[in-house]
Amino acid sequence: MSSPTVVIVPGWRNSGPGHWQSLWTERLPNVLRVEQDDWVSPLKHAWVAR
């Protein structure tokens, strides 16, 4: 049986290198992280599309 995929969806302004979201993305297998074009000035339609 394969491991489940973990999807991390950071909020406004993303998360820094020491944040658990960043650490999990770097260290755990089967982790997908949603990336946005602009973490500071979000556009709803762009964020929803991601």
Side-chain angles (χ1 to χ4, degrees):
M1 181 157 95
S2 64
S3 297
T5 299
V6 175
V7 179
I8 295 178
V9 184
W12 179 64
R13 299 188 71 145
N14 200 356
S15 54
H19 192 281
W20 69 266
Q21 294 173 339
S22 301
L23 298 174
W24 284 19
T25 300
E26 294 170 5
R27 298 176 185 174
L28 298 175
N30 301 322
V31 174
L32 297 175
R33 182 184 181 123
V34 175
E35 293 294 338
Q36 299 294 351
D37 292 328
D38 188 342
W39 287 105
V40 177
S41 301
L43 298 173
K44 180 183 174 183
H45 68 277
W47 278 44
V48 171
R50 294 279 178 151

